[in-house]
Amino acid sequence: MRGGSARGVNVGRGERDVVARGARLDEAARALVDDHGRAVQAVRTALKPLLDEMVRQELDVIPVARLQDVTEGRLRLGSVEEGGLRTVGQVLDAGPYRLRQIPGVGLRTVDQILAAARRLSEAAYETVAVHIDVDRPEPRTSALVIALHVLVEAGPDARRAVDAAGGLAARLGPLLSDAGPAAGRVRMLLAGRDGRARALAAVGELRTVVDEADQAGTPGLLAQASVDLLRGSAGDVAAWVDFELRSAEYYSLLAEISATAPDSAAAEGFLPEEVAERVRGQHLDDAHRRVSLRGYQAFGARFALAQRKVILGDEMGLGKTIQAIAALTHLAAEGQSHFVVVCPASVLVNWTREIEARSALRVLPLHGPDRHDAFADWKGRGGVAVTTFDALRGFPAPGGGEVGMLVVDEAHSVKNPKTLRSQAVARWTERCGRTLFMTGTPMENRVGEFRNLVRMLDPALADSLGERDAMTGSVAFRKAVAPVYLRRNQEDVLAELPSLQRIEEWEELSASDEEAYREAVRAGNFTAMRRAAYASPARSAKLNRLREIVREARENGQKAVVFSHFKDVLGVVREALDTGSADDGPVFGPLTGGVPPARRQQLVDEFTQVTGPAVLVAQIQAAGVGLNMQAASVVVLCEPQIKPTLEHQAVARAHRMGQVRSVRVHRLLATGGVDERMVRMLEDKDRLFDAYARRSAVAEATPDAIDVSDADIARRIIEEEQARLGVTGTASAVSRMAPETSEPKG
């Protein structure tokens, strides 16, 4: 008996070390959960006064009569209104004592009135959403931005660490409790036979948990996340600048913490319940993803994974690219190694940059003269191959199971099955187990075109679709196509998002663009370098992308404003966008410095009064101050400005009080030349301008009050480009700057 007991209490250093390691891991996990909880509570504390004020404003305009609706007409409120209480807010302020002083209002009625008023108040808290005005910061919104900044800076890694910490704490707590006696011989002796058995079993499980955590690098992940959460904000200026750069991430966190997510049915595209339930059950791995998703975006990625071959038709600006990347990173975590993205040449660079920035996936552009070498590299090593519709035709279709997912951007480009590009996409789709078509063009009223796309994904479903499906209404149409089609509109899911989204559109210059650019560099002509991308309109990469942006805006019934510094560029733009079709809407302008001020306003008024899509083409210096263009929800900047003040003021013409839709700003940029150098050289000064000058009434009124650029920038860029291209300059940068830095007359 004593021998058996001795063996039962024999605890070695190994067991004690396991318990100690488990205790340290548990302590780190619980500390991180607490640190995160405090950061979240700081956001809630900063949010509360803003919500309180918004709810109060809501209640102050709700008439007392609405209390009848809450109580199904059981209340008699005439005496209350006669007593001077006309809104629900006034009723809550009055409280029970004052209400009881009103003749004809008894104790039971007072209780019913206050209960109904509180129900309306609770409903208001669930529906209001705080919007942060970057142009009118005040102490309360600054406190909220600073509190959010801590969590945003910690990033997705901190979220993963917190999730891991919560899971570890839940597992380790009971195991450590059971394994406690194994921490020492005396405790083991006193634990009894059952206690000793539990302790040894728990030690075995603990060893597994801590070994797995060590192999996954979890202790380091937890420690780094705690450091990030405890670091705090760098200050209100840094927080506000970061908010403007990453506002979507701030609003995503804010919606999550305040529980003001959009209606779930809208976020799920009003899919039938049986489809939506299957999608909700789809796991989404984020191990290789470097960006957080909003709820509707996570659902979109799950839809693509669960349904395997689908069309994601979200309205422009909802992050279709991010959803595609989320699906790719999930498949990579499951062991898939080869993926293909097919897109127009105008967005190939954007896709490459987005995948590099938003994921840990290897990306290879298959474009240009070396595309076949790149294809061979991709075949051998894997990654995400990004190619164009035309280039895809030159690659052999894959074998079954070789490609984890095929993504086709701007999929409406392959709606005609007779074209070679459509046939190439169809071949690849047939060989790929998963295919994601992406288009921001609404398909409900284009059943014929839609059927052609669906046929590549699900021929049987395509055969079942008829014109009647669209004519019976949007809900019926979406039910019929639910297995393959998901579309969400901005108004359904962007209630909690910022009203301004900035999108950098990087383009590779075409051969003719490049030729014009080299000639401008050789001449040392800075303004010609900046305009070179539009010198040959028929083959202009920037102009092609501009057409696509405006086309999609028109398809969605939106108005667009296109800005350029240069009058000749505006002429090219107007000619390219004026299709003459009534469905595309009119093109106004160009609005330049030579147009009298009264006529400028008249152009803006005519643009605003159009029902449906329209385009206004404007010189950025002439339209940057004094004109309100809040009818526009899409803004395109044809080139970067040497004075960031001009860009900020031009965007502010559309992004201002009275704008009811999210404003998207597309900045057209060419890789490898003057645009890229300008962006890099002006970036730091631009951030400082955002932090200080833009909040100044003086800066708003006078663009030159804070000039963050000078002729040295132009001179340096010309010299660097002449060296890069190996050409000898023939003119001075300063002389070529003169026409551009002067302001337009009128």
Side-chain angles (χ1 to χ4, degrees):
M1 182 78 171
R2 283 194 298 271
S5 298
R7 285 192 298 272
V9 299
N10 186 21
V11 179
R13 180 175 296 177
E15 285 79 5
R16 292 196 297 272
D17 286 348
V18 169
V19 174
R21 288 168 62 201
R24 288 194 297 271
L25 187 60
D26 181 63
E27 181 181 3
R30 294 181 187 277
L32 176 58
V33 171
D34 290 344
D35 294 340
H36 182 259
R38 282 190 289 272
V40 170
Q41 185 55 48
V43 173
R44 292 194 174 115
T45 300
L47 179 62
K48 188 176 186 307
L50 295 170
L51 286 177
D52 287 346
E53 180 181 359
M54 293 182 68
V55 169
R56 179 60 203 225
Q57 291 172 353
E58 290 272 330
L59 298 178
D60 279 346
V61 297
I62 298 177
V64 166
R66 281 286 303 280
L67 297 175
Q68 291 278 18
D69 301 335
V70 179
T71 60
E72 298 179 353
R74 293 194 300 268
L75 288 176
R76 297 179 180 178
L77 299 170
S79 299
V80 174
E81 293 181 276
E82 291 172 4
L85 304 179
R86 304 192 180 280
T87 70
V88 174
Q90 291 174 339
V91 166
L92 287 171
D93 284 345
Y97 178 77
R98 183 179 170 191
L99 286 170
R100 284 199 295 268
Q101 308 307 309
I102 298 175
V105 178
L107 181 60
R108 177 179 173 82
T109 301
V110 167
D111 291 341
Q112 291 175 331
I113 288 174
L114 289 175
R118 292 188 190 104
R119 286 176 62 185
L120 286 176
S121 177
E122 292 166 1
Y125 273 105
E126 293 176 359
T127 57
V128 297
V130 170
H131 290 270
I132 300 171
D133 191 341
V134 297
D135 293 318
R136 297 174 179 81
E138 46 100 2
R140 291 179 305 174
T141 54
S142 290
L144 178 58
V145 171
I146 290 170
L148 287 167
H149 180 63
V150 173
L151 291 165
V152 172
E153 272 292 284
D157 283 345
R159 168 55 62 85
R160 283 192 285 271
V162 171
D163 291 342
L168 280 173
R171 295 179 66 188
L172 291 171
L175 290 177
L176 287 169
S177 177
D178 288 345
R185 291 178 59 84
V186 174
R187 292 184 61 186
M188 219 28 187
L189 181 64
L190 298 175
R193 179 175 297 179
D194 291 343
R196 289 193 290 272
R198 283 196 304 273
L200 292 175
V203 168
E205 291 188 49
L206 268 178
R207 180 178 285 108
T208 299
V209 173
V210 295
D211 284 349
E212 288 176 351
D214 284 344
Q215 291 171 7
T218 302
L221 183 67
L222 301 184
Q224 184 61 54
S226 279
V227 169
D228 292 338
L229 289 170
L230 293 174
R231 183 181 293 124
S233 175
D236 59 341
V237 171
W240 274 109
V241 171
D242 192 59
F243 172 78
E244 293 195 51
L245 294 173
R246 299 191 282 175
S247 57
E249 294 180 45
Y250 281 76
Y251 274 100
S252 179
L253 269 173
L254 184 59
E256 181 181 329
I257 292 172
S258 62
T260 56
D263 176 70
S264 59
E268 295 175 355
F270 303 101
L271 292 176
E273 180 57 28
E274 62 272 16
V275 177
E277 186 175 357
R278 181 163 61 252
V279 174
R280 292 184 209 115
Q282 169 68 50
H283 171 61
L284 187 61
D285 196 304
D286 64 353
H288 298 300
R289 180 165 26 97
R290 293 174 178 158
V291 63
S292 298
L293 302 179
R294 301 179 187 84
Y296 75 87
Q297 291 174 332
F299 186 86
R302 288 189 173 97
F303 179 79
L305 294 167
Q307 299 300 99
R308 301 185 71 86
K309 292 192 175 186
V310 301
I311 300 171
L312 180 60
D314 285 347
E315 188 177 9
M316 189 179 189
L318 293 184
K320 293 187 289 293
T321 302
I322 295 299
Q323 295 174 66
I325 291 173
L328 296 179
T329 53
H330 170 88
L331 293 171
E334 287 192 336
Q336 296 283 347
S337 58
H338 290 70
F339 309 97
V340 176
V341 173
V342 187
C343 62
S346 59
V347 294
L348 185 142
V349 176
N350 287 335
W351 265 103
T352 303
R353 289 177 178 239
E354 283 293 293
I355 294 169
E356 289 175 339
R358 310 294 186 182
S359 78
L361 302 182
R362 180 173 183 256
V363 58
L364 295 89
L366 309 185
H367 185 54
D370 299 328
R371 60 185 179 276
H372 291 289
D373 291 338
F375 181 79
D377 183 15
W378 169 77
K379 287 272 288 186
R381 300 173 59 196
V384 184
V386 183
T387 192
T388 65
F389 290 106
D390 291 336
L392 184 71
R393 292 161 46 197
F395 301 131
E402 181 181 346
V403 175
M405 177 175 277
L406 171 68
V407 177
V408 181
D409 193 12
E410 305 286 349
H412 49 269
S413 300
V414 293
K415 63 191 177 185
N416 183 353
K418 296 180 180 179
T419 63
L420 294 176
R421 65 167 51 182
S422 297
Q423 293 166 12
V425 168
R427 282 194 301 273
W428 277 71
T429 299
E430 185 179 1
R431 299 288 186 89
C432 295
R434 283 189 170 89
T435 301
L436 172 59
F437 284 2
M438 296 165 48
T439 175
T441 300
M443 304 301 296
E444 286 85 339
N445 298 323
R446 297 169 172 80
V447 176
E449 298 174 4
F450 183 81
R451 189 189 295 113
N452 292 336
L453 292 180
V454 173
R455 193 173 304 283
M456 297 186 203
L457 307 173
D458 188 337
L461 179 59
D463 290 339
S464 71
L465 291 178
E467 299 293 337
R468 65 183 184 281
D469 294 305
M471 289 188 284
T472 53
S474 178
V475 174
F477 174 79
R478 292 191 181 187
K479 184 176 181 179
V481 301
V484 299
Y485 183 55
L486 175 66
R487 177 175 172 86
R488 280 78 57 91
N489 297 319
Q490 285 193 26
E491 62 186 13
D492 293 330
V493 296
L494 286 191
E496 85 286 2
L497 294 183
S499 58
L500 181 64
Q501 302 170 47
R502 298 179 184 271
I503 304 166
E504 294 196 341
E505 305 277 0
W506 288 97
E507 315 297 331
E508 287 185 343
L509 293 177
S510 67
S512 56
D513 295 338
E514 190 72 45
E515 183 180 349
Y517 183 72
R518 290 181 67 90
E519 183 57 38
V521 172
R522 183 178 291 107
N525 189 327
F526 188 64
T527 57
M529 289 164 62
R530 295 181 60 206
R531 303 197 308 262
Y534 301 93
S536 300
R539 291 166 288 179
S540 167
K542 278 192 178 183
L543 199 59
N544 284 341
R545 181 58 185 149
L546 173 59
R547 287 192 189 98
E548 292 171 354
I549 293 167
V550 172
R551 178 199 56 75
E552 192 158 342
R554 284 165 163 166
E555 294 279 2
N556 287 287
Q558 297 170 323
K559 290 183 172 65
V561 177
V562 181
F563 288 115
S564 176
H565 186 102
F566 306 105
K567 292 182 181 179
D568 55 347
V569 171
L570 293 176
V572 169
V573 167
R574 180 187 169 96
E575 184 175 351
L577 298 181
D578 194 353
T579 65
S581 169
D583 292 339
D584 288 340
V587 178
F588 295 94
L591 191 161
T592 68
V595 176
R599 175 56 182 156
R600 296 185 203 179
Q601 186 60 59
Q602 184 180 0
L603 280 171
V604 173
D605 291 343
E606 292 171 356
F607 168 73
T608 301
Q609 291 162 9
V610 171
T611 301
V615 179
L616 175 63
V617 178
Q619 194 172 21
I620 198 165
Q621 313 94 301
V625 178
L627 296 174
N628 295 337
M629 302 175 182
Q630 62 262 37
S633 53
V634 175
V635 177
V636 183
L637 302 169
C638 289
E639 70 282 321
Q641 303 304 308
I642 200 164
K643 294 183 179 181
T645 43
L646 291 176
E647 286 193 19
H648 293 308
Q649 290 174 348
V651 171
R653 296 312 101 207
H655 175 226
R656 59 189 302 111
M657 193 69 69
Q659 174 58 255
V660 295
R661 291 180 63 88
S662 177
V663 175
R664 295 187 307 281
V665 181
H666 298 264
R667 198 179 185 208
L668 299 180
L669 302 165
T671 59
V674 61
D675 288 0
E676 194 159 333
R677 293 186 183 277
M678 284 180 66
V679 168
R680 186 179 69 249
M681 295 173 75
L682 293 171
E683 185 176 14
D684 292 339
K685 293 180 180 180
D686 195 17
R687 287 168 69 93
L688 289 174
F689 171 80
D690 276 346
Y692 297 101
R694 193 175 175 201
R695 312 193 197 293
S696 163
V698 174
E700 171 71 11
T702 56
D704 293 321
I706 299 179
D707 183 4
V708 297
S709 60
D710 54 38
D712 287 340
I713 289 177
R715 183 182 296 108
R716 285 173 55 194
I717 290 175
I718 290 174
E719 291 172 354
E720 290 177 5
E721 285 298 279
Q722 288 176 341
R724 181 178 72 88
L725 297 176
V727 300
T728 303
T730 59
S732 77
V734 175
S735 66
R736 300 296 184 177
M737 281 281 293
E740 129 172 37
T741 53
S742 59
E743 295 299 320
K745 296 179 180 180

